[in-house]
């Protein structure tokens, strides 16, 4: 697990020395198994950024961190820097410090290890714009109130041939053994590489879309869940390349077809007891649990700016594709943005909500941190959920036909909701919210007036 840490933490000499000693021991264990160590974080655009050191450099990286310019969070998806960003300066440097507790040795690509990093100022103060530190701080804030969260991202992807356009690499049918038989070598290698990287894979299945697959993993603390999301995408990308394929994790891969979601499963406990089961409310919800879920439902328009942060996200988020386009909740309803999954008699702790409207263009740290921040702010408000919805509100004759509230249908509307969210600003601080919102505005500008197929094509291979 990644240790919780409050915002504003200062990394002093004692911590630097302890990290260096830890790295020395780790380097001995890694000898012969990993020669290249990639320390990664995810920027505002959702791109994982990296500095690589040889194994011999691990101790120095752990002690002092690796230099990274703060301008990186002003990069946008076409690789350019947003000139309007307050971060667009050639000066300044941050230190990217590997979190050695979360280092994963990889079988694919062989010889590599991937470790998530946190960003600090040179004087050791945590950087207020560090998305992973934000998530760690939310975990710490929860624990100080006895509240913990477990989360897991579902990773969907489509496997294409190595071409600019998307040419599905496999046929066969969604959920079908026929697709598995075509893709058997590939899927076996994906599973083996994930397991060997220490990912607790729960299941893998062929999804509904063309050459689409999905991996689900065990729930973890929110920071580790985000680390795992980055790791899973990296490993799948590497195995795909080994097979001469390309994995698209983009929200929309083809015009007018289902896309890739990045659904986030979430549960909460207070003093070790589930807040989503064993209570006297609907479906066993406790009062605090219901209030948290109601708070999340209410905050979805703002959370969407973080969890569906690309113009292409809104080409995925349409009704009747199980993407969660409506601001509704319902037990086991795959058309609802909030799908409630009850505890089962065999697994009473399994109750969770699946936030379906999000996709994998999100920065997973910002998203897990923001979801936890909203839930914590809502826990004691005694908010009540509206009536749960079953069925697809877009279906003819549905009681809510034409009346169910859609989530924002553009990134611009979601960003406006984010900027108006007091809870998220209070938890994340002005710097994180304003630089993130600025980066989204640059993305909106880039996609303005572009037809859907161009927006999709530009984002198809971004990871
Ligand atoms: N691919 C769908 C999405 O865009 C989700 C399908 C499912 O329910 O897993 O989110
Ligand atoms: Mg799925």
């Amino acid at each position: 697990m990644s240790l919780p840490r409050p915002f504003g933490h200062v990394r002093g000499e004692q911590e630097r020395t302890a990290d260096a000693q830890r790295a020395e021991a780790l380097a001995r264990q890694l000898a012969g198994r990993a020669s290249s160590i990639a320390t990664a974080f995810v920027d505002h655009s959702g791109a994982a950024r990296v500095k690589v050191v040889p194994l011999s450099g691990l101790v120095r990286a752990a002690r002092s961190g690796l230099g990274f310019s703060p301008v990186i969070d002003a990069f946008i998806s076409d690789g350019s820097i947003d000139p309007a960003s307050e971060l667009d300066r050639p000066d300044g440097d941050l230190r990217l410090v590997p979190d050695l507790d979360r280092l994963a040795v990889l079988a694919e690509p062989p010889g590599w290890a991937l470790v998530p990093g946190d960003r600090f100022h040179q004087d050791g103060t945590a950087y207020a714009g560090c998305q992973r530190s934000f998530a760690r701080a939310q975990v710490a804030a929860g624990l100080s109130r006895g509240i913990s969260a477990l989360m897991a991202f579902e990773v969907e992807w489509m496997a294409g041939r190595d071409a600019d356009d998307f040419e599905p690499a496999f046929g066969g049918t969604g959920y079908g053994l026929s697709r598995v038989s075509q893709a058997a070598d590939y899927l076996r290698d994906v599973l083996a590489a994930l397991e060997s990287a220490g990912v607790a894979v729960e299941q893998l299945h062929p999804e509904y879309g063309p050459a689409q697959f999905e991996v689900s993993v065990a729930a973890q603390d929110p920071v580790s869940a985000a680390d795992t999301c980055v790791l899973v995408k990296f490993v799948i990308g590497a195995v795909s390349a080994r097979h001469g394929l390309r994995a698209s994790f983009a929200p929309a891969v083809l015009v007018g077809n289902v896309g890739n979601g990045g659904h986030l499963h979430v549960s909460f406990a207070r003093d070790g007891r589930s807040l989503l089961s064993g209570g006297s409310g609907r479906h066993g919800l406790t009062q605090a649990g219901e209030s948290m879920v109601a708070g999340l439902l209410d905050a979805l328009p703002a959370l969407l700016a973080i969890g569906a942060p690309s113009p292409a996200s809104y080409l995925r988020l349409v009704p009747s594709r199980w993407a969660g386009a409506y601001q509704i909740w319902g037990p086991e309803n795959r058309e609802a943005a909030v799908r409630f999954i009850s505890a089962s008699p065999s697994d009473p702790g399994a109750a969770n909500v699946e936030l379906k409207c999000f996709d994998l263009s999100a920065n997973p740290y910002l998203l897990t941190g923001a979801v936890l921040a909203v839930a914590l702010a809502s826990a004691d408000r005694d908010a009540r959920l509206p009536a749960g919805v079953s069925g697809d509100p877009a279906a003819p004759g549905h009681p809510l036909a034409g009346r169910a509230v859609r989530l924002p249908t553009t990134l611009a509307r979601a960003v406006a909701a984010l900027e108006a969210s007091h809870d998220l600003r209070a938890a994340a601080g002005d710097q994180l919210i304003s630089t993130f919102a600025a980066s989204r505005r640059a993305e909106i500008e880039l996609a303005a007036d572009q037809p859907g197929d161009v927006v999709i094509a530009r984002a198809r291979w971004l990871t």
Side-chain angles (χ1 to χ4, degrees):
M1 123 168 222
S2 156
L3 295 177
R5 199 169 53 198
F7 240 177
H9 173 82
V10 182
R11 198 167 171 264
E13 182 50 28
Q14 222 180 348
E15 194 174 329
R16 280 198 290 272
T17 305
D19 283 347
Q21 286 168 351
R22 176 85 203 288
E24 264 171 43
L26 196 55
R28 280 194 292 274
Q29 291 168 25
L30 294 180
R33 296 168 63 212
S35 54
S36 304
I37 316 291
T39 304
F41 68 100
V42 182
D43 70 13
H44 281 346
S45 79
R49 306 286 181 180
V50 70
K51 283 280 167 94
V52 179
V53 295
L55 185 56
S56 60
L58 183 62
V59 174
R60 194 173 51 85
R63 165 176 274 287
S64 311
L66 298 153
F68 231 112
S69 164
V71 76
I72 197 73
D73 283 307
F75 274 60
I76 49 180
S77 64
D78 68 350
S80 70
I81 296 173
D82 166 24
S85 171
E86 64 185 81
L87 297 169
D88 181 18
R89 292 186 306 265
D91 47 341
D93 199 36
L94 298 167
R95 310 303 298 179
L96 173 66
V97 179
D99 182 350
L100 299 177
D101 289 334
R102 299 285 301 147
L103 182 139
V105 182
L106 308 181
E108 189 65 77
W112 284 80
L114 182 67
V115 55
D118 299 306
R119 289 182 294 163
F120 293 84
H121 291 283
Q122 285 169 333
D123 70 1
T125 317
Y127 175 51
C130 173
Q131 301 86 353
R132 192 170 185 271
S133 299
F134 160 65
R136 288 179 84 155
Q138 301 320 302
V139 175
L143 293 181
S144 71
R145 293 163 55 187
I147 298 177
S148 58
L150 286 175
M151 302 193 185
F153 283 95
E154 287 180 359
V155 174
E156 291 186 336
W157 80 99
M158 293 185 195
R161 305 249 164 244
D162 194 2
D164 279 349
D165 284 346
F166 183 77
E167 201 190 309
F170 305 105
T173 177
Y175 315 105
L177 196 54
S178 56
R179 185 171 306 153
V180 171
S181 66
Q182 291 192 20
D185 290 351
Y186 172 63
L187 294 178
R188 180 204 56 225
D189 289 353
V190 166
L191 265 184
L194 290 172
E195 290 243 285
S196 139
V199 176
V201 175
E202 287 199 333
Q203 63 165 41
L204 184 154
H205 71 264
E207 253 297 344
Y208 183 82
Q212 191 179 34
F213 302 99
E214 172 181 325
V215 163
S216 355
V217 299
Q220 297 171 285
D221 72 88
V223 179
S224 301
D227 293 339
T228 297
C229 182
V230 175
L231 177 60
V232 166
K233 286 170 71 180
F234 182 63
V235 167
I236 290 173
V239 175
S240 301
R242 178 76 64 200
H243 281 257
L245 305 175
R246 274 177 118 176
S248 174
F249 302 96
V253 181
L254 293 160
V255 179
N257 210 322
V258 295
N260 291 311
H263 308 176
L264 184 63
H265 287 265
V266 186
S267 66
F268 308 102
R270 179 140 49 194
D271 301 326
R273 292 234 303 274
S274 171
L275 291 170
L276 303 185
S277 61
S280 54
R282 278 171 287 172
H283 311 290
L285 282 164
T286 66
Q287 194 170 333
E290 177 167 353
S291 194
M292 291 164 114
V293 178
L296 286 169
L297 183 64
D298 190 50
L300 280 183
L303 289 169
L304 210 58
I306 295 172
S310 313
S313 299
Y314 298 82
L315 299 170
R316 160 187 173 259
L317 198 60
V318 297
S320 308
R321 290 192 194 158
W322 292 7
Y326 292 102
Q327 194 177 9
I328 56 174
W329 78 286
E332 296 293 3
N333 186 351
R334 289 179 175 75
E335 220 15 65
V338 179
R339 170 186 172 204
F340 185 77
I341 299 159
S342 304
S344 65
S346 59
D347 194 355
N352 69 89
V353 288
E354 180 183 18
L355 306 174
K356 293 195 60 127
C357 48
F358 304 142
D359 65 65
L360 297 169
S361 63
N363 179 314
Y365 301 100
L366 271 185
L367 185 56
T368 57
V371 163
L372 182 52
V374 166
L376 291 174
S378 313
D380 297 325
R381 285 186 183 151
D382 204 12
R384 298 276 74 98
L385 279 164
V389 176
S390 63
D392 180 353
H398 191 281
L400 289 181
R403 286 191 298 118
V405 177
R406 281 282 299 272
L407 285 169
T409 53
T410 63
L411 178 56
R413 286 191 201 140
V415 171
L418 173 65
E419 290 188 294
S421 164
H422 297 293
D423 287 342
L424 286 170
R425 201 173 279 277
D430 283 334
Q431 180 180 339
L432 201 53
I433 297 291
S434 69
T435 55
F436 179 74
S439 81
R440 295 309 81 205
R441 269 193 283 275
E443 213 60 70
I444 292 165
E445 179 85 7
L446 194 65
D449 306 324
Q450 298 296 326
D453 58 336
V454 172
V455 172
I456 289 174
R458 281 181 180 172
R460 187 176 284 135
W461 302 113
L462 298 175
T463 48

